[in-house]
Amino acid sequence: VGGTCVIRGCVPKKLFVYASHFAEDFEIASGFGWEVGKSSFSWKKLVANKDREIDRLNGIYIKNLDAAGVEIIQDRAELRDANTIYLVDQDRTVRAKTILIATGATPFVPHNIPGAAHAITSNEAFHLEDLPKRVVVVGGGYIAVEFACIFNGLGVETTLLYRGPQILRGFDDDMRDGLAEAMIKKGIDVRTQANVGSIEKSGDVCRVTMHDGSEIETDLVMYATGRVPNTIGLGLDKAGVELDGAGAVKVDQYSRSNVSNIYAVGDVTNRVNLTPVAIREGAAFAETVFNDNPVSVDHSDIPSAVFSQPEIGTVGLTEAEAREQYGEIEVFKSTFRPMKLTLTDIDEKMIMKLVVDKATDRVLGCHILGPDAGEMAQVLGIAVKMKATKADFDRTVALHPSAAEELVTMR
Ligand code: NDP
């Protein structure tokens, strides 16, 4: 219980991110006078400790559901009609007046690549028996970028293959360029305009052949090429529930499908695929249906982070989006070396950027690349949601010495 986020997503991912940062932390420590003895890393210990923590969280969820009087039936469920659900293992049906579909999404691997079956997805990455010596990660989105950084931090020789001109399409261009540069400096072989033709496996070695004929030899191939809504075989057609072209349940602003008693929230609706959004949608559904208080979720200005190394934190419009939607905008940007790195040889840069509507002075977007960017984006989210202006930022006194002070001192 807990779904993708808790069991094979956000939570274990962040634990892996922490684990993979220590090599660099030891390097930083030496600049501050610390001599750290010979370090060694145990993948098995990390996975076991991670699993223990996930079990603990799973236990808490079950306990809370029990305490609320929820009956949990552990089975595969398939709809037979708008009110009837067939439980496959138990071979019986249950009926309900209201049904909520919250089955999430599942990794998508392109089927047209010969040998794609040799590749793993993030699902399996959380349970690898051993850490490979070399890995090829395919994709340029959140998961590909985060896992490439995790593997690299843990000492795996890492190649990232992305089909387009720059990773993280949809993010602000300065963040994309800055992160790609930093990842390359950290030793990741980031290849753009790179398309996989086929994958062959002989023994323990995988050979990835690219469209341009080049080959990469590796121990593990991981695909992170997006996720698709988990609606196949759910019997939604029998209940008459309409899906969109991507297989997501089509819903209105109250998360109601075209069938009046069937609702859907989270990634299965493919709106904004983030855990806290699904939680909000779920709470709004409960309020609407069971408290006679129609609540819809505002999907604008949602802060988000990419837990890459360095991290990206962002809220609001990118520079390109703002230019398109608002025409005249002003852009404030600051690039500097984080203070923590000043006693080291690491020449990584932090980038902060504010995108401002010229007509109203409203801050339309904030973008940060660097340590704790996600933490800052959460707080900046309040300011952006409150429609703060650049003048509001400017009259806020800096907190010194911090990185975030740059946000209120950009002129
Ligand atoms: P994304 O949609 O973020 O990225 C998919 C990547 O795969 C893109 O770079 C895309 O390229 C590429 N791609 C898609 N199809 C193909 C193909 N056929 N061949 C080659 N490349 C392809 O998906 P992810 O899997 O990274 O993440 C899934 C979801 O999980 C996201 O919606 C995200 O919101 C969520 N998530 C959030 C995290 C966070 O908040 N930190 C962390 C991890 C996941 P192109 O850009 O060219 O289309």
Side-chain angles (χ1 to χ4, degrees), residues 136-156:
V136 166
V137 180
V138 184
Y142 282 90
I143 297 181
V145 164
E146 291 179 343
F147 266 92
C149 292
I150 289 169
F151 283 126
N152 181 62
L154 294 177
V156 180

Side-chain angles (χ1 to χ4, degrees), residues 97-136:
K97 186 173 161 213
T98 305
I99 294 173
L100 176 69
I101 318 265
T103 48
T106 191
F108 157 78
V109 178
H111 317 289
N112 55 344
I113 307 287
H118 298 307
I120 65 157
T121 68
S122 56
N123 283 356
E124 294 75 41
F126 289 111
H127 296 285
L128 290 175
E129 201 54 36
D130 296 295
L131 195 60
K133 286 209 164 46
R134 302 167 296 184
V135 68
V136 166

Side-chain angles (χ1 to χ4, degrees), residues 32-296:
F32 288 86
W34 286 90
E35 280 319 318
V36 182
K38 190 182 167 305
S39 60
S40 70
F41 168 71
S42 164
W43 170 255
K44 284 192 162 53
K45 185 169 179 184
L46 171 64
V47 172
N49 287 351
K50 177 266 294 177
D51 286 343
R52 195 171 332 114
E53 174 60 7
I54 302 308
D55 282 348
R56 188 183 72 85
L57 294 173
N58 174 55
I60 290 173
Y61 281 111
I62 291 174
K63 210 170 108 196
N64 287 346
L65 286 166
D66 279 345
V70 176
E71 181 194 358
I72 303 174
I73 302 172
Q74 301 213 341
D75 207 328
R76 166 145 188 102
E78 293 172 3
L79 272 76
R80 283 282 162 87
D81 61 43
N83 297 98
T84 312
I85 295 158
Y86 175 62
L87 302 174
V88 177
D89 289 347
Q90 300 178 16
D91 189 25
R92 67 177 175 110
T93 55
V94 289
R95 287 178 59 78
K97 186 173 161 213
T98 305
I99 294 173
L100 176 69
I101 318 265
T103 48
T106 191
F108 157 78
V109 178
H111 317 289
N112 55 344
I113 307 287
H118 298 307
I120 65 157
T121 68
S122 56
N123 283 356
E124 294 75 41
F126 289 111
H127 296 285
L128 290 175
E129 201 54 36
D130 296 295
L131 195 60
K133 286 209 164 46
R134 302 167 296 184
V135 68
V136 166
V137 180
V138 184
Y142 282 90
I143 297 181
V145 164
E146 291 179 343
F147 266 92
C149 292
I150 289 169
F151 283 126
N152 181 62
L154 294 177
V156 180
E157 203 181 291
T158 305
T159 304
L160 180 74
L161 304 177
Y162 174 53
R163 64 180 177 182
Q166 186 56 289
I167 56 170
L168 290 177
R169 182 168 63 85
F171 282 78
D172 188 88
D173 286 341
D174 283 309
M175 302 295 117
R176 301 168 72 193
D177 293 345
L179 177 62
E181 191 183 314
M183 285 171 68
I184 292 165
K185 271 189 196 160
K186 284 186 201 292
I188 300 175
D189 182 0
V190 179
R191 302 192 194 178
T192 52
Q193 313 284 19
N195 288 288
V196 174
S198 65
I199 303 167
E200 282 165 76
K201 191 166 184 180
S202 63
D204 288 339
V205 176
C206 287
R207 186 179 302 278
V208 181
T209 306
M210 307 299 294
H211 275 185
D212 65 6
S214 62
E215 291 182 343
I216 307 167
E217 209 182 83
T218 185
D219 304 312
L220 183 71
V221 181
M222 177 178 145
Y223 263 78
T225 42
R227 296 172 62 89
V228 287
N230 224 341
T231 47
I232 293 173
L234 272 187
L236 294 172
D237 49 337
K238 292 189 181 128
V241 174
E242 237 180 89
L243 305 181
D244 70 10
V249 179
K250 276 166 108 173
V251 290
D252 67 11
Q253 58 175 328
Y254 300 111
S255 297
R256 182 184 227 161
S257 76
N258 64 310
V259 179
S260 65
N261 71 309
I262 300 182
Y263 293 74
V265 295
D267 288 11
V268 78
T269 63
N270 198 22
R271 285 176 279 181
V272 179
N273 298 331
L274 296 169
T275 301
V277 177
I279 292 171
R280 284 285 166 100
E281 289 167 356
F285 154 77
E287 197 59 27
T288 303
V289 177
F290 299 105
N291 215 13
D292 198 20
N293 175 29
V295 175
S296 62

Side-chain angles (χ1 to χ4, degrees), residues 317 319 329-334 352-356 363-368 380 384 389-390 393-394 406-410:
L317 303 182
E319 181 180 341
I329 57 162
E330 279 186 297
V331 175
F332 298 86
K333 198 166 104 178
S334 175
M352 291 192 181
K353 187 168 169 180
L354 298 179
V355 179
V356 178
V363 177
L364 303 171
C366 307
H367 308 278
I368 301 170
L380 282 168
V384 171
T389 60
K390 177 65 167 54
F393 275 61
D394 292 350
E406 292 290 326
L407 293 165
V408 298
T409 54
M410 284 193 237

Side-chain angles (χ1 to χ4, degrees), residues 323-342:
R323 238 179 250 295
E324 202 183 299
Q325 293 175 33
Y326 286 78
E328 268 204 274
I329 57 162
E330 279 186 297
V331 175
F332 298 86
K333 198 166 104 178
S334 175
T335 304
F336 57 96
R337 196 161 173 221
M339 191 174 181
K340 194 174 173 186
L341 299 182
T342 52

